[in-house]
Amino acid sequence: MCFEFDALPPRPPADRVLPRLAGGAAAERLTLESADGTRFAAALAECPEPVGGPAVIILPDVRGLYRFYIDLAERFVTAGRHALAIDYFGRTAGDAERDDEFDFMAHTMQTTIAQVQADIAAARDALAERTGATSFVTVGFCFGGAHSDLAATNPDLGLEAVISFYGTLDPGRFGVDSPDFPAPLRHVDEIRLPVLALFGGADQHIPAEDVQAFDDALTRNGVPHDVVTYPGAPHSFFDRAHEEHAEASEDAWRRILDFLEKVGAGAAAAHQ
């Protein structure tokens, strides 16, 4: 389990917030359509003064789209980024808003990697149409973190880079062996995009040896990456309720925003 249903994401560091946007911007709930005709829920937070560079596609944890990730999209706006959070369950649960009684795991196990990536593509197109964004990065958490890592294996998604928070690397460790469940460690040799991967050192779901194997493979393959482990931090440490891990959350924000700036500069140079 990731965040509590009423959890809140931490805010970006005050010195990284654009003063005129400190109040944030309310996200707009949308229904998007994937390539196979599936309609699924999303939430768009459009930045009135974007700083340039990639827009952010947020990939939630196993529960799909709920308030935490809508709030996170709004947090990105305060730092000058367009952001759009998506749901995974349009094919099996429709696009209606859900409460904390939703039986998410039954729907999670019906998703496929191809379906999630088709939904990422639809989110990319929606961001381009609504905001004019021309470059994109995924930011995923847990289940979504694994999907974010795997998105770096698919050039057709048109991403510049990927970011993952405690993305599950080998689900076989907890008895999930479905080929449709994301397992980045099994596909790490296919990753071709820059990666920022953030882990908690006290995360019982992702052992240190898996993190090291992931880091080593990216190094071996020459993939630009930064793999960071926060000592003592648990799974889902990126939560305002975890005051004892506020320093890790602030550092994570700084690394994300620095990474987006670097990726944006690289993309701009490539298109000159």
Side-chain angles (χ1 to χ4, degrees), residues 1-3 141-142 165-167 198-206 228-239 241-246 248-249:
M1 178 62 69
C2 267
F3 310 106
F141 293 77
C142 186
F165 275 85
Y166 24 85
L198 307 170
F199 297 94
D203 189 337
Q204 298 180 354
H205 303 287
I206 307 173
V228 182
T229 297
Y230 295 101
H235 195 73
S236 70
F237 67 82
F238 195 70
D239 175 359
H242 292 175
E243 294 181 3
E244 68 272 32
H245 304 299
S249 291

Side-chain angles (χ1 to χ4, degrees), residues 3 33 39 53 77 79 86 106 120 134 140 165 185 192 203 230-231 235 238 242 267-268:
F3 310 106
E33 186 169 322
R39 292 169 61 82
V77 165
I86 69 170
I120 292 172
T134 57
F165 275 85
L185 201 52
R192 295 292 182 268
D203 189 337
Y230 295 101
H235 195 73
F238 195 70
H242 292 175

Side-chain angles (χ1 to χ4, degrees), residues 55-144:
V56 174
I57 301 169
I58 299 172
L59 307 181
D61 62 55
V62 289
R63 287 172 290 183
L65 183 65
Y66 64 99
R67 188 68 235 180
F68 183 95
Y69 296 104
I70 298 172
D71 287 348
L72 181 60
E74 295 170 351
R75 300 280 196 266
F76 271 106
V77 165
T78 68
R81 301 286 170 185
H82 302 300
L84 189 151
I86 69 170
D87 186 55
Y88 303 117
F89 308 128
R91 293 167 184 81
T92 58
D95 58 3
E97 193 166 354
R98 311 180 191 106
D99 60 23
D100 60 353
E101 299 299 317
F102 175 60
D103 183 14
F104 59 89
M105 206 61 199
H107 296 275
T108 301
M109 297 309 296
Q110 297 180 68
T111 63
T112 71
I113 294 167
Q115 289 169 349
V116 171
Q117 292 190 355
D119 295 348
I120 292 172
R124 175 204 64 207
D125 291 347
L127 274 167
E129 180 179 352
R130 288 290 300 268
T131 72
T134 57
S135 61
F136 311 90
V137 167
T138 53
V139 179
F141 293 77
C142 186
F143 178 74

Side-chain angles (χ1 to χ4, degrees), residues 62 105 108-109 111-113 143 146-147 150 168 171 174 176-184 186-187:
V62 289
M105 206 61 199
T108 301
M109 297 309 296
T111 63
T112 71
I113 294 167
F143 178 74
H147 274 295
L150 284 188
T168 305
F174 47 89
V176 179
D177 291 317
S178 168
D180 286 324
F181 203 90
R186 302 176 194 175
H187 299 277

